[in-house]
Amino acid sequence: MRYLEGVLQIANLFLAVVAGFIGVSLFKVSHRFKSIRVWRVLIVAFILLSIQLILGVLIAFKIIAHPKFITHLIPTTILILIIYCVYSQIRYHTKEVCETKPKKKKVKKPVKKKVVKKKVAKRAPKKRVAKKKATKRRKK
Amino acid sequence: MAIAELLQTVLPRLNLLLVAFLIALFSIMLSRKPDNQTYTKPWKVMFIALILFVVEEVITVMRLADIISYRLLTIHGFLEMGIIFCVIYMFLEQKEFLKKQGYLKS
């Protein structure tokens, strides 16, 4: 049984390292695009998970003597990070759906044509009239 | 030392509470209508990983509370392996999706 336990621990260690590498490679991409920005935090959470697994193996093989509460503290941090991720994903999703939802076409009501009375612009006084007025003034 | 012991007993219970909250959030997220823009498969895989974590944590809490006592620690190893498999699968799925979208070079 102990043999099996040890094998499992080593396998977990190997898998955790692999997951960590894949996570780091995704982390580089997630900086560039808005749609996967949430994944940055998620990747940090899973890198923490792989660290926790590595710590667990090291403690099990008595390579390091660590306080045991750390193996509970790291999952708490991971869970908080995942909660943040899921919450922000929900928010992002709702935002996207609201923005992309096709708006209902408004049916245009037939508008009654209003009869607009044309305003007749006042004509400027003709030159002749103006001239007459000027001559009258001079005579006076 | 007392703080360490306190944390050792309190944190697993706190983890269970957080997990319950997380499951509620997941149920909200996954119950929505799927649309073409969001890719939910990695999140579903993460949900499976979370369930495995819950099982592990429940076992830990029950052992701490002396409800169950067992010497067979291999179950923890298997559960952790399941979690890490889920995580790797999730990352690979997301990578594949990014490649399809053209964000990543193949």
Side-chain angles (χ1 to χ4, degrees):
Chain A
M1 271 300 169
R2 283 207 159 191
Y3 178 75
L4 181 65
E5 204 185 307
V7 169
L8 275 174
Q9 296 275 19
I10 290 165
N12 282 348
L13 177 77
F14 176 71
L15 287 172
V17 171
V18 171
F21 274 113
I22 297 169
V24 169
S25 69
L26 261 179
F27 192 79
K28 287 173 189 169
V29 188
S30 61
H31 276 291
R32 296 177 214 161
F33 309 104
K34 197 183 173 184
S35 59
I36 50 169
R37 212 167 273 174
V38 182
W39 278 77
R40 273 189 299 181
V41 184
L42 200 67
I43 289 161
V44 170
F46 286 114
I47 288 169
L48 271 175
L49 178 78
S50 54
I51 288 169
Q52 199 233 342
L53 286 176
I54 292 163
L55 268 176
V57 173
L58 293 175
I59 292 167
F61 283 105
K62 290 174 185 174
I63 295 167
I64 53 161
H66 237 266
K68 274 188 178 178
F69 71 89
I70 278 186
T71 51
H72 295 297
L73 189 69
I74 294 172
T76 313
T77 329
I78 292 168
L79 281 173
I80 290 165
L81 288 175
I82 293 174
I83 284 170
Y84 169 73
C85 282
V86 175
Y87 177 69
S88 51
Q89 180 71 15
I90 290 169
R91 278 191 69 189
Y92 176 77
H93 181 72
T94 47
K95 242 184 187 179
E96 281 289 302
V97 169
C98 289
E99 280 173 8
T100 54
K101 225 176 189 178
K103 288 175 183 175
K104 284 180 182 176
K105 285 181 181 177
K106 286 180 182 176
V107 182
K108 284 182 180 176
K109 288 178 183 176
V111 184
K112 287 178 184 175
K113 283 181 180 176
K114 286 178 182 177
V115 182
V116 183
K117 286 180 183 176
K118 283 182 180 176
K119 285 180 181 177
V120 183
K122 285 180 182 176
R123 285 179 185 175
K126 285 178 180 176
K127 281 181 181 177
R128 282 181 187 174
V129 179
K131 275 180 182 177
K132 278 179 183 177
K133 281 180 181 175
T135 48
K136 275 181 184 177
R137 276 175 205 162
R138 276 174 205 162
K139 281 174 184 177
K140 282 177 184 177
Chain B
M1 201 64 193
I3 295 167
E5 281 174 11
L6 185 75
L7 284 174
Q8 208 174 329
T9 50
V10 169
L11 284 176
R13 288 165 178 83
L14 179 71
N15 284 349
L16 276 180
L17 273 175
L18 288 173
V19 159
F21 182 60
L22 195 55
I23 285 171
L25 278 178
F26 261 109
S27 61
I28 290 168
M29 194 175 81
L30 297 176
S31 64
R32 291 186 176 204
K33 283 179 186 175
D35 59 333
N36 296 329
Q37 287 183 343
T38 45
Y39 187 55
T40 51
K41 198 176 178 183
W43 295 98
K44 283 174 188 168
V45 177
M46 195 166 88
F47 188 59
I48 294 165
L50 187 77
I51 288 165
L52 288 174
F53 177 75
V54 170
V55 173
E56 193 189 347
E57 208 62 21
V58 165
I59 289 169
T60 311
V61 169
M62 284 168 89
R63 203 182 56 185
L64 283 171
D66 286 334
I67 297 168
I68 54 162
S69 57
Y70 67 100
R71 286 178 184 178
L72 207 68
L73 285 168
T74 46
I75 196 163
H76 275 289
F78 279 118
L79 286 170
E80 279 174 359
M81 189 177 260
I83 291 167
I84 208 86
F85 265 127
C86 285
V87 169
I88 289 172
Y89 182 63
M90 190 183 82
F91 280 152
L92 291 176
E93 275 289 324
Q94 185 66 17
K95 236 181 169 181
E96 199 65 31
F97 176 70
L98 289 176
K99 272 180 193 171
K100 275 181 188 172
Q101 292 285 313
Y103 291 149
L104 270 176
K105 287 174 187 175
S106 55

